[in-house]
């Protein structure tokens, strides 16, 4: 029996035997750590497990308590509600804020809770670098024509094979290799819309989507989005009936920043709406491999019958962020996207393409992913428990089903930009909510990255953030 499992069993027995009564406060994480000579991480893991079992519950700024029985009166759960953004198209101006925020991540040795990038220590750097070196030694004379779109045939074959293993048969000829998913998104958007067009997006949405719209001189209309079910198909249908929409940009699986996974039923209904109006969708699938459940999620592309879904993804979040290798399954727009790729960056270097292709072919990519998923799922529970424990009452959090980010809705009228600046002075970064919308609707929200292993430093950063937030109330 593991140490945390032993602690879970001991506390569960104390509750069952009436030693610890409903509503009674149990020893703090630190006290239990000292009393049982266990690490903070082990105790937190045990408390998260007990909370998921319904044995205990956390109360912000108060600690952990034995959960009242069903017959007892319990406080209502603090659940996030669906957003209700304005249906009026708006210009986008987020790139300057995003750039300054990303620059701060590497400054002052700050704890990167605001980083959009996963912990690189989980990546198989050594093996990929070995393959890259071998590729370079084998190919001493390389012509630019060897790198022309659509991409390296060996990598394209491995990408198609990976989709097949996950239940989606794709035509390799549809795949276009890009410099990360960001380029794929930009190329696909440029292929389906023109400056001045209106693009429908989730609310909140990943800022890379907003930056693509801003770059191309388009406008966005934000669509009501449920933190558990995803974009409101009813609200989107109403918007599409009232005004012309050139494209829809969505992240159906483990959306950044909310972390939800749309059900298959809702994905199918979303595609049917798109098909009804003949409107293309740009699907961001960069987190699809990072699921916490038992099976790989379906993509919106799975339901595409007419080539309307332009599916974008990359290896940057699951295998190697330094290589910057992504791709697009561009459907009926494949020819246009390939042409734009050639005009935009001419080609994606074959060296990183071949290094990743050989890793996929020869090493244990699935084993690597299983380890990564397990680590993220555990760290998600620990981060959620810590935020609810140390942030002030009224704090609400998302419940990510995959990926590695937590969305936090702060109480009161807190300005997350002020919190961001104050936290940076304390060598902590957070993702301010203003980056995820064209409105001010999420100025009281922050996004936290939990991909890094839980440590004393991370714990102290969460505790300090809680104190800073309390000062702003």
């Amino acid at each position: 029996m593991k140490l945390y499992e032993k602690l879970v069993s001991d506390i569960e027995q104390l509750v069952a035997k009436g030693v610890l009564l409903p509503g009674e406060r149990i020893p703090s994480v630190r006290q239990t750590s000292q009393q049982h000579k266990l690490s903070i991480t082990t105790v937190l893991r045990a408390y998260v497990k007990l909370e998921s079992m319904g044995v205990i519950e956390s109360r912000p700024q108060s600690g952990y308590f034995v959960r009242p029985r069903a017959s007892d009166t319990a406080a209502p759960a603090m659940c996030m509600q669906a957003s209700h953004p304005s249906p009026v198209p708006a210009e986008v101006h987020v790139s300057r804020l995003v750039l300054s925020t990303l620059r701060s991540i590497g400054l002052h040795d700050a704890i990167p809770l605001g980083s959009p990038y996963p912990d690189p220590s989980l990546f198989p750097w050594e093996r990929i670098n070995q393959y890259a070196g071998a590729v370079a030694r084998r190919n001493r004379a390389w012509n630019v024509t060897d790198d022309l779109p659509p991409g390296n045939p060996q990598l394209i074959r491995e990408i198609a094979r990976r989709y097949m293993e996950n239940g989606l048969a794709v035509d390799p000829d549809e795949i276009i290799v890009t410099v990360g998913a960001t380029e794929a998104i930009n190329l696909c958007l440029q292929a389906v819309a023109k400056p001045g067009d209106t693009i429908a997006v989730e609310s909140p949405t990943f800022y890379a989507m907003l930056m693509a719209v801003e770059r191309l001189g388009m406008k966005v209309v934000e669509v009501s989005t449920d933190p558990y079910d995803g974009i409101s198909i009813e609200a989107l249908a109403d918007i599409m009936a009232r005004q012309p929409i050139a494209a829809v940009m969505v992240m159906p699986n483990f959306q950044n920043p909310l972390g939800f996974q749309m059900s298959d039923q809702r994905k199918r209904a979303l595609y049917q709406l798109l098909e009804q109006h003949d409107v293309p969708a740009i699907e961001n699938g960069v987190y699809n491999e990072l699921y916490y459940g038992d099976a790989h999620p379906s993509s919106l592309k799975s339901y595409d019958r007419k080539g309307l879904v332009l599916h974008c993804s990359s290896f940057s979040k699951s295998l190697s962020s330094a290589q910057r290798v992504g791709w697009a399954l561009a459907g009926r727009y494949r020819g246009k996207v390939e042409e734009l790729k050639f005009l935009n960056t001419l080609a994606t270097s074959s060296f990183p393409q071949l290094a990743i292709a050989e890793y996929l072919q020869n090493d244990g990519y699935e084993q690597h992913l299983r380890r990564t998923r397990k680590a993220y799922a555990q760290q998600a529970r620990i981060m959620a428990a810590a935020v609810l424990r140390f942030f002030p009452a009224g704090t609400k959090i998302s419940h990510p089903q995959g990926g590695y980010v937590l969305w936090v809705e702060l109480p009161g009228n807190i300005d997350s930009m002020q919190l961001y600046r104050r936290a940076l002075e304390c060598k902590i970064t957070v993702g301010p909510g203003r980056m995820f919308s064209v409105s001010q609707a999420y100025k009281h929200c922050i996004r936290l990255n939990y991909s890094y292993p839980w440590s004393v430093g991370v714990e102290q950063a969460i505790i300090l953030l809680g104190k800073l937030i309390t000062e702003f109330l």
Side-chain angles (χ1 to χ4, degrees), residues 257-274:
L258 293 174
F260 60 74
Q261 177 184 343
M262 288 182 69
S263 67
D264 290 350
Q265 180 181 0
R266 294 186 64 80
K267 289 172 188 170
R268 186 179 296 107
L270 173 58
Y271 176 75
Q272 289 172 348
L273 176 65
L274 297 169

Side-chain angles (χ1 to χ4, degrees), residues 277-297:
H277 291 268
D278 199 37
V279 171
I282 298 171
E283 177 185 25
N284 188 339
V286 293
Y287 300 104
N288 282 13
E289 296 280 19
L290 302 178
Y291 55 91
Y292 299 162
D294 297 327
H296 194 284

Side-chain angles (χ1 to χ4, degrees), residues 18-328:
V19 178
L20 294 174
L21 299 174
E24 184 177 353
R25 189 178 188 275
I26 66 174
S28 69
V29 171
R30 191 170 299 279
Q31 288 172 332
T32 303
S33 172
Q34 294 170 350
Q35 291 168 359
H36 293 263
K37 294 182 172 54
L38 298 171
S39 69
I40 294 290
T41 300
T42 298
V43 177
L44 270 172
R45 190 174 181 186
Y47 279 20
V48 167
K49 178 65 175 177
L50 286 163
E51 192 168 15
S52 69
M53 294 165 59
V55 178
I56 65 174
E57 63 183 11
S58 62
R59 299 178 188 175
Q61 298 294 307
S62 299
Y64 288 91
F65 294 76
V66 178
R67 188 168 186 174
R69 293 183 292 269
S71 58
D72 297 320
T73 300
M78 298 296 289
C79 296
M80 287 186 169
Q81 303 298 316
S83 61
H84 296 285
S86 168
V88 178
E91 295 182 349
V92 183
H93 303 284
V94 299
S95 59
R96 189 179 299 274
L97 171 61
V98 173
L99 179 59
S100 64
T101 303
L102 294 184
R103 280 176 174 167
S104 71
I105 292 169
L107 299 177
H108 316 301
D109 297 321
I111 294 178
L113 298 179
S115 174
Y117 310 114
D119 175 17
S121 68
L122 289 172
F123 291 155
W125 291 103
E126 186 174 346
R127 292 295 293 158
I128 292 176
N129 287 339
Q130 287 174 352
Y131 284 124
V135 168
R137 287 189 295 272
R138 288 199 309 267
N139 303 277
R140 297 184 181 277
W142 206 281
N143 295 317
V144 69
T145 54
D146 296 321
D147 297 333
L148 292 177
N152 180 268
Q154 184 179 346
L155 177 63
I156 289 175
R157 185 167 57 252
E158 292 300 324
I159 291 172
R161 181 176 297 168
R162 184 65 191 169
Y163 277 103
M164 178 189 68
E165 292 170 353
N166 290 323
L168 177 60
V170 302
D171 183 351
D173 291 337
E174 189 182 349
I175 299 172
I176 299 171
V177 180
T178 60
V179 183
T182 298
E183 185 187 37
I185 291 168
N186 276 267
L187 295 175
C188 289
L189 181 59
Q190 192 174 357
V192 302
K194 63 184 184 301
D197 282 349
T198 298
I199 311 300
V201 300
E202 298 150 327
S203 183
T205 191
F206 185 35
Y207 51 73
M209 314 277 239
L210 295 176
M211 290 170 63
V213 175
E214 179 180 354
R215 172 180 172 269
L216 296 171
M218 302 171 186
K219 296 181 180 180
V220 300
V221 57
E222 297 187 17
V223 183
S224 175
T225 302
D226 187 275
Y228 308 100
D229 297 327
I231 192 168
S232 169
I233 298 165
E234 298 75 18
L236 178 60
D238 184 64
I239 289 172
M240 294 173 75
R242 294 171 181 269
Q243 57 185 291
I245 299 296
V248 179
M249 302 180 78
V250 290
M251 191 178 288
N253 295 316
F254 324 128
Q255 190 247 20
N256 187 341
L258 293 174
F260 60 74
Q261 177 184 343
M262 288 182 69
S263 67
D264 290 350
Q265 180 181 0
R266 294 186 64 80
K267 289 172 188 170
R268 186 179 296 107
L270 173 58
Y271 176 75
Q272 289 172 348
L273 176 65
L274 297 169
E275 186 179 278
Q276 176 185 342
H277 291 268
D278 199 37
V279 171
I282 298 171
E283 177 185 25
N284 188 339
V286 293
Y287 300 104
N288 282 13
E289 296 280 19
L290 302 178
Y291 55 91
Y292 299 162
D294 297 327
H296 194 284
S298 68
S299 64
L300 188 62
K301 185 71 174 176
S302 304
Y303 306 97
D304 187 12
R305 297 176 296 184
K306 295 188 176 181
L308 283 172
V309 178
L310 297 87
H311 176 89
C312 304
S313 192
S314 80
F315 293 109
S316 299
K317 304 300 189 291
S318 61
L319 185 60
S320 174
S321 55
Q323 306 298 329
R324 303 295 300 153
V325 174
W327 63 90

Side-chain angles (χ1 to χ4, degrees), residues 144-151 176-179 183 187 190 334-348:
V144 69
T145 54
D146 296 321
D147 297 333
L148 292 177
I176 299 171
V177 180
T178 60
V179 183
E183 185 187 37
L187 295 175
Q190 192 174 357
R334 187 233 180 255
K336 183 64 174 177
V337 171
E338 183 178 40
E339 176 187 347
L340 290 169
K341 166 63 184 176
F342 178 71
L343 293 172
N344 189 53
T345 52
L346 187 65
T348 301

